[in-house]
Amino acid sequence: MDDIVKQAIAKWPNVPAVYGWLGLDARGRWYLRDDATQAEGPFPQARGALLQHEKLLDFIARNYEADEQGRWFFQNGPQRVFVELELTPWVWRIQPDGSVLSHTGRGTTVQGCLLDEEGRLYLATPLGLGLVHTQDVGLAAETIDAGRWTPHEVNAAELPARYGFVTSPLAPSPAEPGLPRRP
């Protein structure tokens, strides 16, 4: 986490969190979801505006984490912006040498390989579970063929509970801090 973010949290420790305003799709792209987009429906059916500003994307990447409940968020200064996930909290990019980078640029190692009922490939890592980017399935297949990974069948609906993440964080009850999710 950026030092400036840590300083802002210390200075303003009770800033309410926001829900429903940021989405991460299955290709590792971030979407800003304003009131109008949220009114159109849940993510990813109503995606919102694709974020393309490089410095903002880098800032999100450096300050992307999960809380103890498995809800992923972007720490925007003193405010947590909880993320709507299309599938998983990570999207993996496979490098030509077989190494793995997250959509945020973090390197990791593979602990397990999973294949769901729709043919989507996931990797379990020390960072958590993520989906292999569609453009990298060929490289992943080469790694599987080389015997470095062995895919195990899995039901996609079981992944959040099994790997401890929440795809759509809910706003806390009115007694807790935080802004409510739009209907």
Side-chain angles (χ1 to χ4, degrees), residues 56-127:
L56 175 58
L57 294 172
D58 290 344
F59 185 61
I60 291 171
R62 290 191 312 272
N63 296 288
Y64 179 58
E65 298 184 7
D67 69 9
E68 59 283 343
Q69 297 171 21
R71 301 177 304 174
W72 286 82
F73 62 90
F74 154 52
Q75 189 71 48
N76 183 24
Q79 186 171 57
R80 284 188 176 180
V81 179
F82 284 95
V83 178
E84 298 287 318
L85 304 173
E86 182 171 352
L87 289 173
T88 61
W90 298 104
V91 177
W92 305 124
R93 300 305 313 254
I94 313 304
Q95 305 306 296
D97 66 357
S99 62
V100 178
L101 293 177
S102 73
H103 66 282
T104 64
R106 295 182 195 176
T108 192
T109 57
V110 176
Q111 297 173 322
C113 180
L114 306 166
L115 186 66
D116 77 9
E117 63 278 5
E118 293 192 27
R120 293 179 295 220
L121 188 65
Y122 305 84
L123 300 176
T125 78
L127 295 176

